[in-house]
Amino acid sequence: MCGKFAQVYDDASLKEKFRLEDISGRVNPELNLTPGMKVNTVTFRGEQNILHPMIWGFSELHNKSMPALIFNSRIETIFSGSPLGQYLVKHRCIIPLSGFYERKGDRTFYIQNKDFPILSAAGVFVNDGLKFNCSVVTTDSTGSMRKIHSRMPLLLNDEFSKIWVSEKEIEADKMILECGSIAGHLEFDHENGLF
């Protein structure tokens, strides 16, 4: 993923998609979100989903600096058993996207599913006690996405979205397989590039 996505959807669609009661703190619609900006995420607390704006990207964990700003997290790292992976797999969120951008050469593609105004991208987050920062979970591209970029966001259906934000065990292979199915319905528009 190249590091740019859109969150442009109406309040009713957002509330219905994630069964949210309160979206008063949501980030305003934005076509051109980049790392370092505040984005909408969905987390699970108690018995309900919560809209939780976070900063996209993190550069430290437990007061230790990372080698670079982490705004994409490979699913392989999350389930690797490494200290970073062990932390992130317990701190999961959904990042609602209306679309995302990829570049190939000098062309920019806006990728979306016009039949579904909101895509559920798997995310992970870091909480240092003062602020929350998130990262988009990525996987190997599948289907026609391979022609544009080698990686893509891990897109989840409604069933896997509920599991992802819960404390349940994750069956990553099944989620990756379903992501491939979702990717088969994505549409690519190179006229809407914002780079």
Side-chain angles (χ1 to χ4, degrees):
M1 207 172 131
C2 62
K4 197 167 285 206
F5 61 76
Q7 290 187 324
V8 181
Y9 29 70
D10 61 72
D11 292 354
S13 296
L14 184 63
K15 287 178 85 169
E16 180 182 348
K17 173 84 172 169
F18 299 104
R19 296 185 177 91
L20 298 167
E21 292 182 11
D22 180 13
I23 61 167
S24 59
R26 74 166 174 75
V27 176
N28 288 329
E30 177 63 59
L31 267 171
N32 207 10
L33 290 161
T34 57
M37 295 177 75
K38 191 174 273 192
V39 300
N40 292 313
T41 76
V42 176
T43 58
F44 186 77
R45 188 184 319 140
E47 296 296 318
Q48 64 182 19
N49 289 335
I50 305 292
L51 185 71
H52 194 161
M54 299 184 194
I55 302 297
W56 182 20
F58 62 91
S59 56
E60 61 179 48
L61 178 63
H62 305 312
N63 296 319
K64 292 183 181 177
S65 294
M66 308 299 285
L69 181 68
I70 310 287
F71 54 90
N72 292 330
S73 296
R74 299 171 76 89
I75 193 162
E76 300 89 343
T77 300
I78 293 169
F79 290 97
S80 67
S82 68
L84 177 60
Q86 288 176 14
Y87 178 87
L88 294 177
V89 78
K90 294 177 182 172
H91 295 82
R92 304 186 301 253
C93 62
I94 297 291
I95 303 174
L97 312 177
S98 50
F100 59 98
Y101 299 90
E102 294 293 358
R103 284 190 88 144
K104 183 172 182 180
D106 60 354
R107 296 177 78 190
T108 300
F109 294 86
Y110 181 65
I111 300 153
Q112 65 181 332
N113 183 333
K114 291 180 182 174
D115 294 329
F116 296 97
I118 303 177
L119 297 168
S120 298
V124 289
F125 66 89
V126 170
N127 173 14
D128 68 1
L130 298 173
K131 64 185 186 302
F132 287 81
N133 297 67
C134 65
S135 177
V136 177
V137 175
T138 65
T139 186
D140 288 332
S141 288
T142 184
S144 53
M145 274 297 302
R146 287 186 188 140
K147 297 175 184 175
I148 298 174
H149 199 277
S150 62
R151 303 289 293 180
M152 65 177 285
L154 178 64
L155 300 175
L156 305 172
N157 64 17
D158 289 345
E159 176 190 354
F160 286 138
S161 292
K162 290 175 192 171
I163 294 170
W164 186 262
V165 294
S166 74
E167 295 181 357
K168 294 180 180 176
E169 293 259 337
I170 299 294
E171 295 183 81
D173 291 343
K174 287 184 179 179
M175 290 186 173
I176 291 168
L177 190 62
E178 176 60 24
C179 178
S181 174
I182 295 169
H185 298 281
L186 295 174
E187 299 174 34
F188 309 88
D189 182 357
H190 72 275
E191 300 300 326
N192 284 335
L194 297 180
F195 284 90

